[in-house]
Amino acid sequence: SRAVASSAASKPAGRTQPRPPDRHAAPPAPAPVPASVAPSVPVTAGTRLIARLEQAYRQGSADAIAALFTKSARTSDGAGRSLIRTQYARLFRDVTAQRLVITNMSWQTTTRSRLKGSGRFRVSTKAGDSTEWRTSDGRIDIEIVRVGTDFRISSMLYRLN
């Protein structure tokens, strides 16, 4: 290619070997961390978000649950915050009491702005005048992302036993 050949031909004649580093020079300063790089998501953010999810579920608040998710969050039942709100509103309309317990979460940071956790869940509901709790349990995988200064669930996938 001509561009490579002409640039090589235009270099001044002289040293072809790079100079060794000066042993007496000060070490280079560390590169500054850009302000746009957010600190990593702490595991405590996952723990707090799970507690808020359990509380909103116990209170039967579809709005509070939906607010914990990103706008495009994925769940085992579909995607989107409005779908999540609609599904929980329907569930809470059909039951008189409900409990969600998430345990044994094992968290790992996947990127500076994402935290993934896997654990177990148990959900219990009472319908109508029934005094019996209906219970289901299984595995749950949750991904949490930083949104501004707060955290939201971007993915919540579960598998029933």
Side-chain angles (χ1 to χ4, degrees):
S1 113
R2 282 189 183 169
V4 172
S6 67
S7 71
S10 67
K11 287 185 180 175
R15 273 182 97 116
T16 57
Q17 295 289 327
R19 290 194 314 191
D22 183 356
R23 293 178 201 240
H24 302 291
V33 177
S36 63
V37 175
S40 60
V41 178
V43 170
T44 55
T47 305
R48 285 192 306 267
L49 203 52
I50 294 298
R52 289 168 56 197
L53 176 64
E54 290 172 332
Q55 179 181 2
Y57 193 95
R58 194 171 36 257
Q59 292 171 343
S61 176
D63 289 335
I65 288 176
L68 299 173
F69 288 82
T70 62
K71 287 182 183 179
S72 60
R74 294 179 311 124
T75 70
S76 295
D77 302 315
R81 187 184 295 152
S82 62
L83 173 78
I84 293 165
R85 179 180 291 112
T86 299
Q87 289 180 326
Y88 281 103
R90 187 176 304 130
L91 169 68
F92 297 147
R93 189 175 45 243
D94 296 339
V95 299
T96 55
Q98 59 281 330
R99 287 189 300 235
L100 169 66
V101 178
I102 298 175
T103 60
N104 301 324
M105 288 300 289
S106 174
W107 296 101
Q108 96 182 63
T109 303
T110 58
T111 68
R112 291 192 66 75
S113 62
R114 291 188 187 279
L115 184 67
K116 284 189 176 183
S118 293
R120 309 265 328 144
F121 76 93
R122 175 169 292 206
V123 62
S124 303
T125 58
K126 282 186 185 180
D129 294 333
S130 175
T131 57
E132 290 188 34
W133 287 91
R134 181 176 170 204
T135 301
S136 300
D137 63 355
R139 299 227 18 100
I140 190 163
D141 297 313
I142 296 176
E143 182 177 79
I144 293 171
V145 296
R146 183 181 296 278
V147 177
T149 59
D150 205 359
F151 304 95
R152 297 281 182 270
I153 300 169
S154 61
S155 176
M156 185 171 82
L157 306 174
Y158 63 87
R159 296 169 302 287
L160 293 171
N161 284 341

